[in-house]
Amino acid sequence: MELVKILIVEDDLSFANLVIHQLEMLNFDTDEILIVSSLQEAKLSKKEFEPEVVLLDLSISDSSGINTYDEINKLFELASIIILSGLNDKDLALQIVAKGAQDYVLKTEINSQLLDKTIRYGILRRTFRIGIFNSEKKYRDVFNRSPLPVLRLIDESLTIVMANPAALKLYEADIDDMIGKSMYSFNFYQDQRIEINTTSNFIKKRLKQKTIKGGEIINEIVINKLENED
């Protein structure tokens, strides 16, 4: 038996049962498959059921179109979502795949072989996504727990997109005071700039700055490039 948790979001019960029959033929354990017909039922199911793969009809009893995908994707963020598409919403299904859904299958063409291939690819993709999610979580934990003030900056404007608690304390700021502002907006002398050298991954400069509350601080700014941008 294939022990894969599969959620079928479909309000046409006869079609949903047809899908289950095909999955049973493929040796998937039907005890690990759940059918819901609405977003409300999907939300209730999350308390006890966390799917690895979601087979999603976009038009269900309490939702339709892109909203259905957005709500299910938000609810089961690590699941691979496969759109069950009718001929009339094929173009919409393609748009949603471009947004992040794994794939779509036409209801009129669905068969056990196609389901098998799509679900197995979905499981593999989910494994990759979990690995990325765990890596990002580890990075966020290290970032937030650092006793040193740390900011994540983008572009030559040094726009702040992340700030750890130590940085907020240093600048006497709330997170909303920091995000989206340039590092330079805190400079005491507005003409001070940091020369961004694209060939170097390490930049260091001493700046006189001010906090949100007007206090004066001397900061030794150390910039480490996290990634190369083309």
Side-chain angles (χ1 to χ4, degrees):
M1 283 286 183
E2 295 279 353
L3 299 178
V4 180
K5 288 186 177 294
I6 300 173
L7 179 67
I8 302 173
V9 184
E10 170 64 73
D11 61 0
D12 183 342
L13 188 58
S14 61
F15 180 79
N17 284 327
L18 172 63
V19 172
I20 286 184
H21 175 67
Q22 292 179 336
L23 293 173
E24 190 174 19
M25 290 171 57
L26 292 166
N27 210 33
F28 285 94
D29 186 350
T30 54
D31 289 337
E32 299 294 315
I33 302 173
L34 180 66
I35 301 172
V36 298
S37 62
S38 65
L39 289 180
Q40 182 62 28
E41 287 184 17
K43 291 174 183 177
L44 291 174
S45 75
K46 186 174 173 64
K47 296 177 182 178
E48 299 180 355
F49 191 83
E50 191 70 33
E52 297 164 71
V53 175
V54 177
L55 302 177
L56 176 64
D57 183 5
L58 296 174
S59 298
I60 52 178
S61 60
D62 59 354
S63 183
S64 63
I66 290 178
N67 179 68
T68 308
Y69 168 77
D70 287 341
E71 290 297 321
I72 292 295
N73 186 49
K74 183 168 58 177
L75 195 60
F76 304 110
E77 60 179 343
L78 293 180
S80 287
I81 300 176
I82 300 164
I83 306 300
L84 299 173
S85 172
L87 286 172
N88 292 336
D89 52 22
K90 181 179 176 181
D91 290 342
L92 179 59
L94 285 169
Q95 291 178 38
I96 293 173
V97 169
K99 282 192 71 173
Q102 178 205 306
D103 205 348
Y104 78 96
V105 292
L106 289 175
K107 288 185 173 183
T108 54
E109 298 178 0
I110 201 165
N111 58 62
S112 57
Q113 289 77 21
L114 180 59
L115 275 176
D116 189 40
K117 178 182 177 181
T118 308
I119 288 173
R120 291 186 188 282
Y121 181 75
I123 295 167
L124 180 62
R125 183 179 179 185
R126 180 176 183 271
T127 301
F128 290 146
R129 290 180 70 183
I130 289 174
I132 293 170
F133 177 84
N134 288 337
S135 295
E136 290 177 345
K137 183 179 183 302
K138 183 177 180 180
Y139 165 76
R140 288 194 300 271
D141 287 345
V142 171
F143 180 90
N144 287 323
R145 292 176 182 173
S146 172
L148 297 175
V150 183
L151 302 171
R152 184 171 183 183
L153 311 171
I154 60 171
D155 302 327
E156 292 187 1
S157 62
L158 301 186
T159 298
I160 300 166
V161 294
M162 291 177 69
N164 75 346
L168 297 180
K169 183 177 180 180
L170 174 67
Y171 285 95
E172 300 180 305
D174 295 324
I175 191 68
D176 292 339
D177 297 324
M178 301 287 287
I179 302 304
K181 288 188 177 179
S182 168
M183 184 70 177
Y184 296 133
S185 66
F186 295 95
N187 282 1
F188 189 86
Y189 301 111
Q190 293 301 314
D191 59 342
Q192 283 190 306
R193 289 293 183 268
I194 299 173
E195 184 178 347
I196 305 298
N197 187 340
T198 57
T199 62
S200 174
N201 291 326
F202 181 84
I203 301 168
K204 186 174 181 180
K205 182 151 185 174
R206 194 174 179 86
L207 296 177
K208 184 176 182 180
Q209 295 191 305
K210 55 189 176 182
T211 69
I212 289 292
K213 294 181 179 180
E216 295 180 16
I217 50 178
I218 303 296
N219 282 334
E220 188 169 72
I221 309 296
V222 177
I223 298 178
N224 287 287
K225 189 181 293 186
L226 294 179
E227 56 191 21
N228 291 321
E229 296 180 357
D230 295 329

